[in-house]
Amino acid sequence: MTRLTAVAAIALVGALSGADAFTAINAPRTQTFVSTRSAPLFMSDEDDIPAASGSSVERGVSVDQDGKSNVWAIEPKMEVEIKSSEEKTSSAIAAIAGFVGFAAVAAGLLSNLPDPDTF
């Protein structure tokens, strides 16, 4: 019985001590960082770049410090499939066969459990 009272005493002390192990400390902050932007900053594609103050942004053209214009090609974005249709089909068949095998093993084990009323 002394072991039970010791465990109860430790639990009572822990509950009354107000342990805040998983809470944030509410300490006053000395530095505050204020963003000059009114909207959050998100990563975007080059297609989403807005035109600056009414002027249009021409992609693929730049002017260097000597005043010479540079023109380059911008290739369209392409999606490339990594797996062929045969690989996708074989992966789906393997997944279905694995699930059927697992279901058969689970059904066999669950149907052969001993009767709980005999204990």
Side-chain angles (χ1 to χ4, degrees):
M1 196 67 177
T2 59
R3 187 173 187 164
L4 180 62
T5 56
V7 171
I10 292 172
L12 182 64
V13 169
L16 295 178
S17 68
D20 295 328
F22 298 107
T23 59
I25 298 173
N26 292 330
R29 294 185 181 200
T30 57
Q31 294 180 348
T32 57
F33 297 101
V34 179
S35 175
T36 58
R37 299 178 63 91
S38 62
L41 183 62
F42 296 105
M43 186 174 182
S44 65
D45 292 333
E46 293 176 357
D47 297 335
D48 299 335
I49 297 174
S53 67
S55 64
S56 64
V57 176
E58 188 173 1
R59 297 183 52 204
V61 177
S62 68
V63 179
D64 60 8
Q65 63 187 7
D66 295 333
K68 299 177 183 175
S69 63
N70 299 317
V71 180
W72 62 90
I74 298 177
E75 298 180 9
K77 295 178 183 177
M78 298 177 62
E79 294 183 18
V80 179
E81 288 190 27
I82 297 172
K83 290 186 174 183
S84 66
S85 61
E86 291 177 2
E87 290 174 331
K88 289 180 184 178
T89 304
S90 64
S91 296
I93 290 172
I96 291 170
F99 179 74
V100 168
F102 171 75
V105 170
L109 288 175
L110 291 175
S111 65
N112 291 322
L113 288 177
D115 188 18
D117 294 332
T118 61
F119 295 112

